[in-house]
Amino acid sequence: MIKARCFLHHPTLLHKMEMKEVRAAPPSDYQELQFNRDQHTVVTIGNPVEDPRDYVVWSICNLCHGNPLCFGLVALIFSIKTRDMKVIGDLQRARGYSKWALRFNGAALIILSLIILCYVIYLSILALRHGQFL
């Protein structure tokens, strides 16, 4: 992270790859130098900064369907925290909460898929033992 100045001369944190500070050529006389000393131009390079995703819908689906080890509930909590941090404007903490929500949603999906797969295998073994097919 680098510190840069916005147009109102308040420091702002920016990513190195996203923003680059460009200064104009030095003026020829001293009076212009005195006037232009603190002016900066910020040029956006590449894609603009995107807001982190909050995964609220996925968290609600995990909460309602299965919810193994309460991962759906934990993911929903982190999703709501992500949304709150986006509203406040703290994008760095929002990205952190978003990553945790994604991890818990993924873990809940994998565990639920494994439970369903084991159940299908168990039912097919029972059907084969009793001579019945699904």
Side-chain angles (χ1 to χ4, degrees):
M1 303 296 267
I2 59 171
K3 276 197 174 179
R5 293 186 171 267
C6 66
F7 295 107
L8 299 176
H9 301 289
H10 297 290
T12 310
L13 289 177
L14 304 169
H15 292 294
K16 287 181 181 178
M17 298 303 292
E18 295 165 353
M19 305 298 276
K20 182 179 176 184
E21 186 174 326
V22 178
R23 294 180 189 228
S28 58
D29 75 345
Y30 181 75
Q31 206 169 30
E32 288 181 28
L33 180 65
Q34 198 77 9
F35 178 74
N36 291 332
R37 182 177 55 191
D38 291 329
Q39 290 184 348
H40 295 87
T41 304
V42 177
V43 178
T44 304
I45 298 174
N47 296 335
V49 179
E50 295 180 4
D51 287 342
R53 298 181 64 180
D54 52 12
Y55 305 108
V56 172
V57 175
W58 190 11
S59 300
I60 291 172
C61 289
N62 277 336
L63 180 66
C64 294
H65 302 290
N67 195 19
L69 302 174
C70 293
F71 283 170
L73 178 63
V74 176
L76 183 63
I77 290 170
F78 278 112
S79 297
I80 292 171
K81 283 184 175 185
T82 301
R83 192 169 275 190
D84 290 343
M85 290 299 131
K86 280 173 35 178
V87 168
I88 291 173
D90 191 358
L91 294 181
Q92 185 175 2
R93 288 177 78 188
R95 283 187 191 99
Y97 288 140
S98 176
K99 286 180 185 177
W100 279 106
L102 177 65
R103 290 174 187 156
F104 279 112
N105 279 323
L109 180 66
I110 290 170
I111 292 171
L112 188 61
S113 300
L114 289 175
I115 289 172
I116 291 172
L117 181 66
C118 290
Y119 185 68
V120 168
I121 291 172
Y122 175 73
L123 286 179
S124 60
I125 290 173
L126 280 179
L128 287 175
R129 281 189 183 169
H130 295 296
Q132 300 170 354
F133 294 102
L134 297 176

